[in-house]
Amino acid sequence: MLIFNIKGLIERKSAVERRKITYKVIEQETGIKVLTLSRIATNHNYNISRKDIEKLLLYFRCSPNDLMTLIPE
């Protein structure tokens, strides 16, 4: 199972940038819809596009290992 660590990355980015980061802010800055971000964060079976993964990696300035965690089933 692949888990996306979006909530933790939001908290970290909010602290570093000293501003509140919400799904709406991410939507405005990346073009990824709020509903899609919510599904990525909560639905472990959601099929995220490669394009959206790239956008999130660039937005959070992180590596794939920071964004995703693989948990063997």
Side-chain angles (χ1 to χ4, degrees), residues 12-68:
R12 184 174 77 182
K13 187 171 180 75
S14 292
V16 169
E17 295 185 5
R18 297 179 186 200
R19 66 182 180 130
K20 184 171 176 83
I21 305 289
T22 63
Y23 289 157
K24 188 67 178 169
V25 171
I26 298 170
E27 177 184 36
Q28 292 168 347
E29 296 182 18
T30 65
I32 303 171
K33 299 290 183 192
V34 170
L35 183 59
T36 301
L37 291 166
S38 178
R39 287 180 178 163
I40 293 167
T42 59
N43 184 351
H44 302 302
N45 294 320
Y46 185 74
N47 191 8
I48 183 173
S49 72
R50 180 179 176 163
K51 181 178 75 174
D52 287 345
I53 290 173
E54 290 175 9
K55 287 179 183 179
L56 290 172
L57 292 172
L58 292 171
Y59 179 75
F60 289 113
R61 297 180 186 179
C62 66
S63 71
N65 287 339
D66 296 326
L67 180 63
M68 302 174 279

